[in-house]
Amino acid sequence: IPAEGRTAEVLVRLRPGACAHGVAFWFDAHLYADIHLNMAPQIGRQHLPTTFRDHWRQAVMCFPEPVKACSDGFELKLNAHHDDDAVWFTLLSQCPFPAAT
């Protein structure tokens, strides 16, 4: 998500019959000049034992209800937002009928 504007549109193509329950994400914080902190899985950690864990992790935001692909090539449209404290997503499009449980 760009620092300017703090919102970006994201399109996610779902496989036919797929059901999305939320968005998994991580962040890359630009702290100062060329110093940044990237929380992508295993970035910069290949030299550490697999049991290594720090307190920064990936995150997930669950949708209020699952979203099911209603057609072949269905694209889930989201807005990704951030402010100084949080990251969140807003559903902009979904199928006109609820997902089957």
Side-chain angles (χ1 to χ4, degrees):
I1 308 170
E4 303 79 27
R6 297 185 176 215
T7 297
E9 187 175 286
V10 179
L11 295 174
V12 179
R13 179 167 288 167
L14 298 181
R15 293 180 180 163
C19 189
H21 291 267
V23 178
F25 62 99
W26 56 85
F27 64 88
D28 184 8
H30 295 267
L31 304 173
Y32 180 77
D34 61 348
I35 299 172
H36 69 276
L37 178 64
N38 187 312
M39 291 297 107
Q42 298 302 313
I43 297 295
R45 297 185 187 140
Q46 293 83 358
H47 66 285
L48 298 172
T50 56
T51 57
F52 173 79
R53 297 188 132 202
D54 58 18
H55 66 284
W56 297 104
R57 307 253 171 84
Q58 297 79 42
V60 65
M61 188 206 86
C62 295
F63 299 140
E65 295 182 17
V67 177
K68 187 171 183 174
C70 52
S71 63
D72 188 18
F74 173 74
E75 287 188 333
L76 185 63
K77 188 186 292 187
L78 307 163
N79 264 348
H81 313 272
H82 77 88
D83 60 19
D84 291 341
D85 297 315
V87 175
W88 68 97
F89 298 84
T90 305
L91 278 169
L92 299 176
S93 68
Q94 58 187 32
C95 291
F97 53 85
T101 56

